[in-house]
């Protein structure tokens, strides 16, 4: 009886050892590559454009929350390649768009600020900032903190588009729409 139990136990152990052997370690990577190849949108992001406080962990967590989006990083060039389905791309742009709109709302709600309203197009390339003229700083430069915040959030959204990054900001008097300032980013310094 002991021989039969020992024999049965050895067969059972042998069978269980081979259960996981039909899957190679590379098959998950191959599956992701196949899925990524069937995705219809590809965005390559220059990692050097991220700010100093960029968190790669948070970046990946956000991307991993979107079904149908796959990412890779080339460490030599510091480029992130995102491949995704159309629906994943729409979800990503909606997520990023909400972030920009939240930033704009915070700028408007800042009582010490001169901004009363912000209007923009779909990809935040043309932004109209309505201001209280008497609160606008006398030395109003292209590098005004409020304009930089608007520009930064707009360009952060545009990282995820395939059209490059540029923002034209026009500051208008909220009362009569007189143009107080117009600036395009990136600023070309000659």
């Amino acid at each position: 009886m002991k021989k039969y139990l020992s024999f049965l136990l050895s067969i059972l152990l042998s069978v269980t050892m081979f259960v996981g052997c039909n899957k190679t370690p590379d098959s998950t990577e191959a599956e992701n590559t196949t899925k990524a190849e069937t995705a219809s949108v590809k965005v390559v992001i220059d990692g050097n454009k991220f700010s100093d406080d960029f968190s790669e962990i948070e970046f990946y967590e956000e991307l991993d929350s979107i079904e149908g989006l796959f990412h890779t990083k080339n460490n030599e060039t510091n480029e992130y390649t995102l491949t995704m389905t159309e629906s994943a791309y729409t979800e990503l742009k909606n997520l990023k768009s909400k972030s920009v709109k939240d930033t704009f709302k915070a700028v408007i709600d800042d009582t010490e600020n001169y901004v009363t309203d912000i209007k923009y197009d779909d990809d935040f390339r043309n932004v109209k900032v309505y201001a209280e003229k008497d609160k606008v700083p006398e030395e109003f430069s292209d590098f005004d903190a409020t304009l930089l915040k608007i520009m930064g959030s707009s360009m952060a959204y545009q990282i995820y588009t395939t059209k490059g990054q540029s923002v034209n900001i026009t500051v208008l008097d909220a009362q009569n729409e007189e143009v107080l300032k117009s600036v395009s980013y990136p600023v070309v310094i000659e």
Side-chain angles (χ1 to χ4, degrees), residues 140-155:
F140 193 46
S141 79
D142 294 353
F143 302 103
D144 174 76
T146 301
L147 296 183
L148 289 175
K149 188 180 283 188
I150 292 167
M151 176 274 303
S153 60
S154 298
M155 289 179 114

Side-chain angles (χ1 to χ4, degrees), residues 12-21:
L12 184 61
L13 286 173
S14 297
V15 169
T16 58
M17 282 181 13
F18 295 110
V19 168
C21 290

